Amino acid sequence: MLAIGTDFYADSDRGRQRRGNEDSHFARRPLFAVADGMGGAQAGEIASGIAVSVFEHGLPEDQEASCEERLAMLVQDANAQIHELSRSDEARAGMGTTLTAAYLDEGELAIAHVGDSRLYALRGGAIERLTRDHSLVEELVREGRLTPEEAEEHPQRSIITRALGPEPHVLVDHFTHRAQADDIYLLCSDGLTSMVKSEQKVAELITGSATLREAGQTLIDAANAAGGRDNITVVLFRIVEVDSGSADAATAGTSAETGPGEHTMIGSGAPTASEVQAAVAAAPPPTAQAPESAAADASPNRRVPRSGPAAAPPKRRRGRRARRIVRGLLIAGVVAVPIVAGAWIASQSVYFVGTDDQGFVTLYRGMPYELPGGVSLFSVNYASGVPVATLSPKVRSTVTGHKLRSRDDGADLVRQIERGTLVGQEK
């Protein structure tokens, strides 16, 4: 199984000649994006910020759309938001931004792209540009009216032909690239590529670094050393092979085979007393009428039929017993329904972090167990792309501990895991 490594890097630098930074980036495994804003008076900063904010809750749920199509949907959503704000606020009229995003899904990298920020793939030391610049000089190069060398020094090289914001609709390039283990991917704004113009030089700076963090800082330093005329944003991530057996071992105990009437646990350990109390707090206590039918059947005055072919119970007694059984079942149902309903209502106010069936870190709403009859007290709130097998033992134990949390606390924990900033076990 392929996954994003934990040593990814993301940072943005103002450069040496700009007063502010209009670049924005998003880096939460398995989703990464870079946006380069334009518009001045902080409008570009706002546009790029809106562009990356649409990824905050992951890809939209749409069973009929592919991963790359859902990624493109978010880019279209960002375009609509930026365009609407530019129309409603005169100070931000004409603002826009580039946006390049990548999402790893089961070994395939879904890509969505608008503008002249770029996505590169490094495989076996060779670098390949995966995106096509939507810029004037790029169009002229494709038409054969400029050479790539002439395009690098062309006075109109900063003019882009497609961006988010200027129009109510935008054409989004989206496609899928087959990833391999040990691939390194680079997303960057043109503040890097306009200064470090040789793609081979970019590859050498990355492969010559001991870590992706060192590589990212080296690229930013190189762009600044060359003049730093624009904001510089660099995002680097590596594809790693995760042993599916390791993932299974890491999630051992995340489910249990149970007999009739037992609880099925997402994680090891039984629910605490406080959890059970919270689940049934809203339910009324059982009434004393529930065992009535059993007591009546045990009465010493009950007639016992004789053995033999003619020994059939009197029809009157059989009908009376059936009515008592039905009444007992109805009473049990009246008692059970509020208990189940109360448990469900109580469970929806808490969240916990665990893993899904494929071993990915997931935020659940509810409590980590099921009631008899297959009534789940949890549902998926957000599924990350981080395999639990890639985490350190301390962080893994935090995930499999299934501590009950508020939604904000649970979401913050998942964000830290996605960003690789959670390094220890919670107390």
Side-chain angles (χ1 to χ4, degrees):
M1 181 174 66
L2 298 181
I4 305 291
T6 58
D7 62 336
F8 62 88
Y9 171 86
D11 201 6
S12 187
D13 189 88
R14 187 179 65 182
R16 292 188 171 180
Q17 298 186 25
R18 295 293 180 93
R19 293 182 178 180
N21 191 346
E22 295 186 320
D23 286 1
S24 296
H25 62 276
F26 186 93
R28 280 170 49 186
R29 296 184 293 171
L31 178 57
F32 300 86
V34 166
D36 182 356
M38 59 188 185
Q42 294 187 324
E45 179 182 346
I46 293 171
S48 67
I50 293 173
V52 299
S53 70
V54 300
F55 302 118
E56 185 65 30
H57 300 295
L59 300 191
E61 293 291 338
D62 189 334
Q63 299 298 327
E64 298 183 357
S66 66
C67 189
E68 68 177 71
E69 289 170 338
R70 289 184 287 149
L71 192 61
M73 289 177 191
L74 288 180
V75 178
Q76 291 285 8
D77 183 34
N79 179 75
Q81 292 184 41
I82 296 167
H83 180 70
E84 181 60 30
L85 183 57
S86 69
R87 292 187 59 191
S88 62
D89 188 341
E90 186 176 340
R92 292 168 181 147
M95 72 176 180
T97 183
T98 70
L99 182 60
T100 304
Y103 181 99
L104 183 68
D105 178 46
E106 296 184 356
E108 293 188 333
L109 197 67
I111 299 161
H113 167 71
V114 175
D116 64 349
S117 295
R118 293 180 179 177
L119 172 62
Y120 289 96
L122 283 84
R123 180 175 294 171
I127 189 168
E128 177 188 4
R129 193 204 308 181
L130 300 183
T131 55
R132 183 180 68 176
D133 291 353
H134 300 137
S135 66
L136 177 61
V137 296
E138 185 83 359
E139 297 290 346
L140 294 175
V141 169
R142 283 194 288 269
E143 293 172 3
R145 298 164 61 182
L146 283 178
T147 66
E149 292 74 22
E150 291 172 334
E152 290 181 359
E153 303 300 330
H154 198 281
Q156 295 179 316
R157 62 184 178 277
S158 62
I159 298 177
I160 59 177
T161 56
R162 201 186 304 177
L164 304 188
E167 302 294 336
H169 301 284
V170 65
L171 180 62
V172 180
D173 289 354
H174 58 88
F175 54 96
T176 298
H177 172 77
R178 187 66 186 176
Q180 293 184 11
D182 299 322
D183 283 354
I184 296 175
Y185 292 91
L186 164 67
L187 291 97
C188 62
S189 62
D190 69 333
L192 172 66
T193 53
S194 63
M195 294 289 96
V196 185
K197 299 177 181 179
S198 167
E199 293 180 346
Q200 186 56 41
K201 178 65 174 178
V202 171
E204 291 172 358
L205 292 176
I206 295 173
T207 57
S209 301
T211 64
L212 292 187
R213 173 171 293 278
E214 179 183 320
Q217 293 172 342
T218 299
L219 290 173
I220 291 175
D221 291 344
N224 278 323
R229 290 196 298 266
D230 201 354
N231 308 140
I232 310 154
T233 299
V234 171
V235 174
L236 286 162
F237 61 92
R238 188 192 312 272
I239 305 298
V240 297
E241 182 79 39
V242 178
D243 184 6
S244 60
S246 297
D248 293 339
T251 57
T254 59
S255 63
E257 295 182 1
T258 58
E262 296 180 3
H263 296 298
T264 301
M265 305 296 297
I266 287 185
S268 57
T272 64
S274 59
E275 291 171 348
V276 175
Q277 183 178 3
V280 301
T287 66
Q289 297 176 329
E292 176 183 337
S293 59
D297 287 345
S299 171
N301 295 323
R302 186 170 66 89
R303 294 183 183 179
V304 179
R306 296 187 303 270
S307 60
K315 294 183 179 179
R316 186 176 179 182
R317 288 291 186 184
R318 182 184 298 174
R320 188 175 298 171
R321 183 192 305 173
R323 286 195 296 271
R324 283 198 293 264
I325 292 173
V326 171
R327 185 166 62 244
L329 291 174
L330 289 175
I331 293 172
V334 169
V335 173
V337 168
I339 292 176
V340 173
W344 172 256
I345 293 171
S347 73
Q348 298 311 290
S349 63
V350 293
Y351 294 76
F352 67 94
V353 176
T355 57
D356 63 12
D357 292 338
Q358 297 180 331
F360 290 98
V361 176
T362 302
L363 177 63
Y364 290 94
R365 181 182 184 182
M367 293 189 294
Y369 62 94
E370 293 180 347
L371 294 178
V375 180
S376 299
L377 295 184
F378 57 87
S379 60
V380 174
N381 181 263
Y382 172 76
S384 78
V386 182
V388 72
T390 65
L391 306 178
S392 68
K394 288 185 177 180
V395 176
R396 188 182 304 161
S397 65
T398 296
V399 172
T400 57
H402 305 123
K403 174 183 175 182
L404 296 183
R405 309 168 182 274
S406 67
R407 185 187 185 284
D408 289 344
D409 186 35
D412 182 62
L413 174 60
V414 174
R415 280 195 294 267
Q416 290 183 64
I417 293 172
E418 289 176 321
R419 293 168 179 161
T421 57
L422 185 68
V423 296
Q425 182 180 8
E426 292 185 317
K427 294 182 179 179

